[in-house]
Amino acid sequence: SLLNSSKWLQLFQSVLLRPLEKLREVLSGLDPRQRRRRAAAQRIRQIYASLMDLCAAMEHARPMARTPLEYLRDLYQLFPEHQQEANAVTNAYLQVRYGELPEDAQEMEQIEGAWKQLQKIGQEKIKLHGS
């Protein structure tokens, strides 16, 4: 038999709305500083992934079997004038990857700045090799 409309509503609420309500409760339980730190950690993951995409576009993709720390030597070769930036992005990623959250906006500004430098140099190298 077909469920009546009130049964459908109950089913909809139990399947879709309750998990969303629980997620909202969990997220609202975090203080604003904790939310900012989690957002910063996500941004660091995005920056590192973008750096890996850039390296792949430069035909130097990180092999799956190599850790980020092992791959750092390759980054030094790809960006010899920007080893400090490569180190900053990699170390921030490793900290986030293993559970530490960025502490403040200044740390994020440093990582963002390092990424912008690496991105600029990488894109210039890609243009040189592509033309």
Side-chain angles (χ1 to χ4, degrees):
S1 73
L2 295 174
L3 297 173
N4 62 30
S5 62
S6 66
K7 294 286 185 189
W8 278 110
L9 181 61
Q10 288 174 347
L11 181 64
F12 176 76
Q13 287 177 332
S14 66
V15 171
L16 296 177
L17 295 182
R18 284 196 187 122
L20 289 175
E21 287 175 21
K22 288 185 184 218
L23 177 62
R24 186 177 48 84
E25 289 172 15
V26 168
L27 293 177
S28 67
L30 299 175
D31 64 61
R33 182 172 181 261
Q34 187 74 0
R35 275 185 263 157
R36 281 191 301 272
R37 290 176 69 200
R38 289 187 186 274
Q42 179 59 32
R43 178 64 183 136
I44 288 171
R45 286 186 200 94
Q46 290 172 343
I47 287 171
Y48 190 80
S50 296
L51 177 59
M52 294 301 99
D53 290 343
L54 178 64
C55 292
M58 296 170 67
E59 299 181 3
H60 287 88
R62 187 185 109 203
M64 294 297 291
R66 297 191 65 198
T67 68
L69 201 53
E70 292 169 334
Y71 188 69
L72 187 56
R73 288 175 283 184
D74 292 35
L75 291 177
Y76 289 166
Q77 291 175 357
L78 288 172
F79 305 99
E81 302 296 321
H82 297 279
Q83 292 181 3
Q84 184 177 358
E85 289 85 353
N87 195 49
V89 170
T90 299
N91 284 331
Y93 172 74
L94 287 171
Q95 288 175 342
V96 166
R97 175 76 173 88
Y98 292 103
E100 292 182 43
L101 297 177
E103 287 298 323
D104 56 27
Q106 183 179 4
E107 185 178 351
M108 276 310 299
E109 287 175 23
Q110 177 190 6
I111 302 306
E112 290 279 356
W115 162 236
K116 287 177 184 175
Q117 283 292 317
L118 295 171
Q119 184 179 34
K120 178 182 172 186
I121 298 301
Q123 289 174 347
E124 289 172 2
K125 288 183 177 189
I126 290 170
K127 285 179 186 176
L128 284 175
H129 292 292
S131 21

